[in-house]
Amino acid sequence: GQQLNQSPQSMFIQEGEDVSMNCTSSSIFNTWLWYKQEPGEGPVLLIALYKAGELTSNGRLTAQFGITRKDSFLNISASIPSDVGIYFCAGPTTSGTYKYIFGTGTRLKVLA
Amino acid sequence: EAEVAQSPRYKITEKSQAVAFWCDPISGHATLYWYRQILGQGPELLVQFQDESVVDDSQLPKDRFSAERLKGVDSTLKIQPAELGDSAMYLCASSDRASTLGGYTFGSGTRLTVV
């Protein structure tokens, strides 16, 4: 079945550093979503991507839809302590009903 | 800002007991999802509703799990009997048909611990 693999699994960075993470799929997606989940909370949508090659920003976050449509990247510039959390990519399944599957997550910790 | 409401936030139950979770989606959202998130993993879909109808419950362990959305608004997810392996965060999400391409909005979840 469809799977989304994220790397790295976890990251420990210093405040002010830039962060890059990616998500790869075994199949083609026509939509990519990036969510952030803070401890004890549900995931919150950060960025949605709809077209191969698309580059979209949301403040210090920038995400790209890979040309092959099998991957996506999320970058965070000038990280701050509140960027701590788990970042998930998600893509729509190919089954009949419209729903999303989620990646394995990248856990980010920012050291002040 | 509209939110998906879930209760309780935390639940501790003994194995073999019954447990239920409640979700109230954003007003007007026709599609409702229940996801289970085991610690350290991404959310996995359990059941999807469109209005009051189940459209996908292929990943729901039907021998012990049940879900309903009788009036097409709020929803309950029940586990009976609970097992130790059911310990997880149970997330509810909703979307309207037009916004499905933009993903959906999650609630804060119910953290279940089975002892």
Side-chain angles (χ1 to χ4, degrees):
Chain A
Q2 292 175 292
Q3 288 186 343
L4 294 177
N5 295 306
Q6 291 186 244
S7 65
Q9 190 172 20
S10 61
M11 304 178 72
F12 292 80
I13 62 170
Q14 289 290 135
E15 182 177 2
E17 290 183 358
D18 296 343
V19 173
S20 184
M21 59 189 79
N22 72 341
C23 179
T24 58
S25 167
S26 56
S27 57
I28 290 173
F29 283 109
N30 54 27
T31 301
W32 285 97
L33 306 178
W34 283 94
Y35 282 85
K36 177 188 177 187
Q37 186 175 29
E38 297 185 6
E41 299 294 330
V44 174
L45 183 65
L46 298 173
I47 293 178
L49 302 161
Y50 303 112
K51 192 167 60 175
E54 179 181 356
L55 191 70
T56 298
S57 294
N58 178 5
R60 293 178 296 105
L61 277 61
T62 301
Q64 183 164 21
F65 194 138
I67 292 293
T68 66
R69 295 170 61 195
K70 289 187 175 183
D71 56 9
S72 179
F73 307 88
L74 177 69
N75 296 311
I76 305 173
S77 62
S79 59
I80 58 178
S82 63
D83 291 333
V84 165
I86 305 176
Y87 292 80
F88 290 101
C89 61
T93 67
T94 54
S95 66
T97 60
Y98 206 96
K99 56 186 177 288
Y100 285 88
I101 59 171
F102 284 76
T104 49
T106 292
R107 185 181 299 272
L108 178 65
K109 293 203 172 182
V110 180
L111 306 175
Chain B
E1 185 176 332
E3 292 183 346
V4 175
Q6 288 190 247
S7 68
R9 285 296 304 270
Y10 305 93
K11 180 71 178 178
I12 300 174
T13 191
E14 293 183 346
K15 62 180 180 180
S16 79
Q17 295 298 304
V19 64
F21 316 126
W22 177 79
C23 172
D24 191 11
I26 292 172
S27 178
H29 278 195
T31 311
L32 185 148
Y33 309 82
W34 283 101
Y35 277 79
R36 176 171 61 185
Q37 185 178 23
I38 296 170
L39 191 65
Q41 299 181 18
E44 295 179 317
L45 181 71
L46 291 175
V47 62
Q48 177 186 1
F49 288 92
Q50 187 66 33
D51 299 308
E52 68 277 6
S53 301
V54 173
V55 296
D56 187 343
D57 62 358
S58 57
Q59 300 302 310
L60 189 70
K62 299 181 189 62
D63 57 334
R64 297 184 301 106
F65 286 65
S66 64
E68 61 182 17
R69 193 184 183 198
L70 293 176
K71 297 184 179 179
V73 182
D74 57 339
S75 174
T76 56
L77 178 69
K78 297 178 182 177
I79 308 175
Q80 182 174 17
E83 296 181 352
L84 295 177
D86 296 331
S87 295
M89 173 82 91
Y90 290 83
L91 293 161
C92 178
S94 72
S95 70
D96 63 37
R97 288 185 180 90
S99 297
T100 303
L101 281 177
Y104 25 77
T105 303
F106 282 91
S108 296
T110 295
R111 168 73 68 187
L112 173 67
T113 302
V114 182
V115 297

